[in-house]
Amino acid sequence: MKPIRRLLIANRGEIAVRIIRACRALGIAPLAVYSPIDAGAPHVRLADAAWPLPADAPAESYLNIARLREIARAAGADAIHPGYGFLAENPAFAAACAAAGLIFVGPPAEVLERCGDKVHAREQIAAAGVPVLPGTGAVSDEEAVAAAGRVGYPLLIKAVGGGGGKGIHVVDSSVDLPSALRLARGEAVAAFGDPRLYLERWLPRPRHVEVQILADAHGAIVHLGERECSVQRRHQKVIEESPSPALTADLRERLGAAAVAAARAVGYVNAGTVEFLLDSDAFYCIEVNARLQVEHPVTEMVTGVDLVEAQLRIAAGEPLGLRQDEIVRRGHAVECRVGAEDPHHGFLPSLGVIEAVREPAGPGMRVDSGLAPGLPVSRYFDPLLAKVVAWGATRQVALDRMAAALDEMAVSGVRTTLPFLRWAVRDPAFRAGEYDVRFAARWDEWVNGRPPDQDALLSAAIAAALWAHHRHRRTVLPRTATADGWRRTARIESLGEGS
Amino acid sequence: MKYAVTGAGPDLEVEVLDPPAGPGRLRVRVHGREYDVGWSPALGSTHWWLEWDGRRQMVAIEPEGDGLGVTLAIDHLDLRVAPASPLPRKRREQGGTLQTVEVRAPMPGLLVTVEVRPGQAVGAGATVAVIEAMKMQMELRAPAAGTVREVRATGGREVSAGEVIAVLVPDGGGR
């Protein structure tokens, strides 16, 4: 066992901030890195020290293994946490850390290798008696065309080295296969540096349910229950909750046992997630995500387990110290991902500089955020800005708190997915727990397929006119109505004038 | 002061009346009805508190070209606002018949490839170019069948939002 004293965090944004918080709670010194545009980012200011990376492009910054290793040495780090994305599931990086005598906070290189080879991992998981979907191994374009008929349309093209929804394409017919293969290969190279693709049967309306597991280096494995992740856009999760409204107690138990079996089949160590597709009461394991998931907070909220702390302890060689029957889940948690995408214009990335932020708070609320005024939102990185998490004793209470929190939140400088999230958590089908992976697509129908709401139109028209009026005649507002007026009054009062 | 608000549904005339209703409050007249409205800055240069008819809401307003993008809690409207003039507004003349269609980058990013050459015939929905941002690739497709008149960008370079990538002459769309 080797205690961690100085942890280098090879990531940015909200997850770097999250890991820094775990370090502070454990008395570990958090050390940050940053690309040039992230120089003023919250994770840089919250860490004990921060080192610059040469350029913004991911290959030069948060994927730059050689530079990160140099920084780790210069910083006297004894461990590296990769967060999610970037190098989190890169076996070469885990091996490079081990070779340099650094603890990699995640599974060992050989486990990453095993889980990263999705095709091989699926075979091992199937051999352990866990149901999987039909599919192929890594295929060339010609082989894909030949195998597609056997897998059956519609099918999914997925990146062998993939994760996080990148490089995934749904293909409805053989006509679309060649162009989809080309796009998927381009994305796979850009995102993972690995052009290999495979095909998998696609279920039209499944639910996406995943199970959090923790495994120590001494053979103990427990699961921390499921997360329902069926609200997705472009195969990216946007809302997650735990427990899943779709599971019966019996199904939940079988899913948990299957997740532990799958983790054991690939020799898993550290925190991981076993993903399943649920088709009424049949489930299929699709992959093991060998990292901390973006949506880990919902599990933390219902179990009370700090997953980053668990990761650090496991990485240091400590035994789990947690038996399956000691994991008690309480209440309901939901997470909404706030991203820099414009939901009214096809969810196009919205780039710019954050001008100001208003984050929600209150009973049962948690906000994991990488937002700060002045932060550039660039095309180089993922659009995720912040995660709003609500806990309640019941699902109803958690969703009510979430709806209020989303109304409270505001970001100035870029467009965000907040309007979509506000719509989703109020949608009757979502409220009833009756939704699947096609749910989010209903937003487009809702936005485009109805006459403009009279109340909204009137509010918008009045606002537009007042905005124009304010621009033309700034003096029209009485001074006391403005923030400046309040501030001046406060200043005068604090000086004791007139008392 | 009267403002003409156009762009979404029926045109509206919003009159901001003098004097204001009180501290931080304005009076507006819409559809012949007068409202007492609260209006104050909420966040940054974009977000405002709007309170009328007993309800307070945050509204984001961003200039967009020569219009305004107005975002309420869930809804978004693209509006134009101008001081209402008693004279009938001059309609902007259309520049003759529509003869070309521009394929523009919908977002800033890396132009991965341009798949067409000048003179090439393309079908509706054909891939014109591939653009990448935030690790996602997106195909720009021909909005109509036609002939490529001009290619203004090359693969491998950064493009800005709205930048013209290629110009097409739609079939039957001019000479």
Side-chain angles (χ1 to χ4, degrees):
Chain A
M1 220 162 74
K2 187 179 158 193
I4 297 171
R5 292 200 177 82
R6 294 173 68 77
L7 179 72
L8 183 69
I9 299 157
N11 216 305
R12 63 185 297 281
E14 66 86 17
I15 194 60
V17 173
R18 166 72 187 90
I19 297 164
I20 290 170
R21 289 191 173 128
C23 288
R24 293 293 179 207
L26 293 168
I28 295 170
L31 310 167
V33 291
Y34 59 95
S35 82
I37 54 167
D38 280 343
H43 77 275
V44 176
R45 283 176 287 142
L46 290 171
D48 276 351
W51 280 263
L53 294 163
D56 291 311
E60 301 280 308
S61 54
Y62 303 97
L63 287 174
N64 189 341
I65 294 180
R67 183 77 190 111
L68 287 166
R69 219 168 45 173
E70 284 167 27
I71 291 170
R73 194 182 306 124
D78 41 35
I80 297 191
H81 197 308
Y84 52 66
F86 296 124
L87 294 168
E89 292 166 272
N90 185 319
F93 183 58
C97 289
L102 291 162
I103 296 171
F104 174 80
V105 182
E110 64 272 16
V111 175
L112 288 177
E113 194 105 47
R114 229 173 283 146
C115 294
D117 185 343
K118 311 267 171 187
V119 174
H120 188 57
R122 192 170 53 185
E123 284 165 10
Q124 286 179 306
I125 290 164
V130 176
V132 298
L133 280 173
T136 68
V139 283
S140 67
D141 287 6
E142 293 73 30
E143 289 164 343
V145 171
R150 181 172 51 75
V151 176
Y153 290 98
L155 54 78
L156 277 183
I157 303 175
K158 296 175 101 173
V160 171
K166 304 276 160 59
I168 297 185
H169 289 258
V170 181
V171 185
D172 291 319
S173 74
S174 55
V175 180
D176 301 328
L177 189 60
S179 85
L181 281 166
R182 199 176 40 157
L183 277 187
R185 269 195 220 282
E187 280 186 22
V189 170
F192 315 112
D194 178 354
R196 290 178 302 150
L197 301 173
Y198 68 101
L199 308 183
E200 190 176 86
R201 167 81 56 80
W202 186 64
L203 301 173
R205 302 192 76 98
R207 296 182 74 126
H208 183 123
V209 179
E210 61 186 27
V211 178
Q212 176 69 51
I213 55 137
L214 283 176
D216 68 17
H218 314 284
I221 306 184
V222 295
H223 74 82
L224 290 88
E226 81 282 3
R227 292 184 289 259
E228 163 80 58
C229 310
S230 297
V231 183
Q232 304 188 356
R233 276 205 68 95
R234 296 187 192 124
H235 307 283
Q236 301 264 17
K237 298 160 190 166
V238 279
I239 302 179
E240 304 94 351
E241 58 178 319
S242 185
S244 163
L247 296 188
T248 59
D250 169 60
L251 199 50
R252 179 167 291 121
E253 195 160 316
R254 285 195 286 135
L255 209 59
V260 171
R264 210 174 284 287
V266 295
Y268 204 84
V269 178
N270 213 290
T273 295
V274 186
E275 293 198 327
F276 296 92
L277 292 181
L278 186 69
D279 197 16
S280 63
D281 60 352
F283 59 81
Y284 306 94
C285 179
I286 46 175
E287 60 187 44
V288 178
N289 288 323
R291 62 173 185 271
L292 182 71
Q293 299 276 101
V294 175
E295 60 273 25
H296 74 276
V298 295
T299 299
E300 296 186 322
M301 297 294 265
V302 294
T303 60
V305 175
D306 180 333
L307 289 170
V308 180
E309 177 188 336
Q311 280 194 300
L312 292 167
R313 291 193 186 283
I314 292 168
E318 287 184 39
L320 261 186
L322 194 62
R323 291 193 320 268
Q324 188 66 54
D325 62 7
E326 289 174 316
I327 296 163
V328 180
R329 302 198 299 152
R330 192 174 146 264
H332 197 99
V334 58
E335 172 185 277
C336 286
R337 300 189 189 188
V338 180
E341 293 167 313
D342 183 350
H344 292 97
H345 296 93
F347 287 85
L348 286 180
S350 177
L351 311 183
V353 175
I354 302 298
E355 189 191 354
V357 189
R358 191 165 178 270
E359 288 175 352
M365 293 307 305
R366 162 175 170 182
V367 180
D368 281 18
S369 163
L371 282 168
L375 183 81
V377 177
S378 80
R379 71 168 192 86
Y380 295 107
F381 306 121
D382 192 90
L384 181 65
L385 300 175
K387 305 179 314 203
V388 179
V389 186
W391 181 90
T394 63
R395 184 170 187 265
Q396 167 92 26
V397 171
L399 292 183
D400 287 344
R401 285 176 173 172
M402 179 60 83
L406 293 173
D407 285 350
E408 205 175 310
M409 184 160 182
V411 179
S412 179
V414 294
R415 298 267 171 92
T416 72
T417 52
L418 279 166
F420 164 82
L421 297 167
R422 292 178 186 130
W423 165 84
V425 299
R426 286 178 173 84
D427 179 84
F430 183 82
R431 296 289 306 205
E434 287 158 8
Y435 63 96
D436 57 42
V437 295
R438 306 287 278 274
F439 170 77
R442 287 186 34 222
W443 161 260
D444 304 297
E445 295 162 32
W446 190 84
V447 156
N448 301 320
R450 72 199 167 105
D453 177 78
Q454 282 313 297
D455 216 40
L457 182 58
L458 209 50
S459 288
I462 291 173
L466 292 180
W467 185 88
H469 194 68
H470 191 75
R471 276 233 153 163
H472 287 292
R473 301 167 54 179
R474 278 183 192 280
T475 51
V476 82
L477 279 180
R479 290 292 297 170
T480 50
T482 65
D484 278 354
W486 286 110
R487 241 177 259 132
R488 197 180 46 189
T489 308
R491 207 179 303 132
I492 289 167
E493 281 174 1
S494 71
L495 288 172
E497 280 181 32
S499 60
Chain B
M1 186 85 181
K2 277 186 188 173
Y3 297 89
V5 181
T6 57
D11 294 359
L12 281 173
E13 202 165 72
V14 180
E15 188 175 2
V16 183
L17 303 165
D18 269 325
R25 304 201 69 84
L26 298 157
R27 289 184 302 132
V28 301
R29 185 153 52 210
V30 194
H31 286 320
R33 250 190 89 180
E34 201 180 304
Y35 299 95
D36 179 342
V37 176
W39 178 254
S40 56
L43 186 80
S45 57
T46 51
H47 288 58
W48 301 80
W49 288 117
L50 173 69
E51 187 262 293
W52 69 286
D53 218 17
R55 204 162 75 91
R56 186 174 162 95
Q57 55 186 319
M58 210 194 290
V59 183
I61 301 188
E62 297 148 282
E64 231 173 34
D66 48 357
L68 288 182
V70 181
T71 310
L72 308 173
I74 296 174
D75 293 284
H76 174 91
L77 296 101
D78 290 306
L79 301 176
R80 279 159 196 271
V81 58
S85 121
L87 296 170
R89 276 175 298 132
K90 257 193 202 164
R91 293 233 169 247
R92 198 180 296 168
E93 278 180 37
Q94 292 270 345
T97 54
L98 190 67
Q99 294 187 329
T100 58
V101 179
E102 287 164 342
V103 178
R104 291 168 182 268
M107 57 189 180
L110 174 73
L111 190 64
V112 181
T113 58
V114 178
E115 308 260 314
V116 296
R117 291 163 187 280
Q120 186 181 334
V122 291
T127 303
V128 172
V130 177
I131 191 169
E132 180 186 309
M134 288 175 171
K135 293 192 233 158
M136 305 251 297
Q137 291 199 353
M138 186 180 167
E139 285 181 318
L140 308 185
R141 292 168 183 269
T147 308
V148 179
R149 189 163 92 172
E150 214 183 315
V151 173
R152 293 204 192 154
T154 50
R157 94 174 164 75
E158 306 276 333
V159 291
S160 49
E163 188 171 333
V164 177
I165 308 298
V167 181
L168 311 179
V169 179
D171 290 343
R175 41 194 90 183

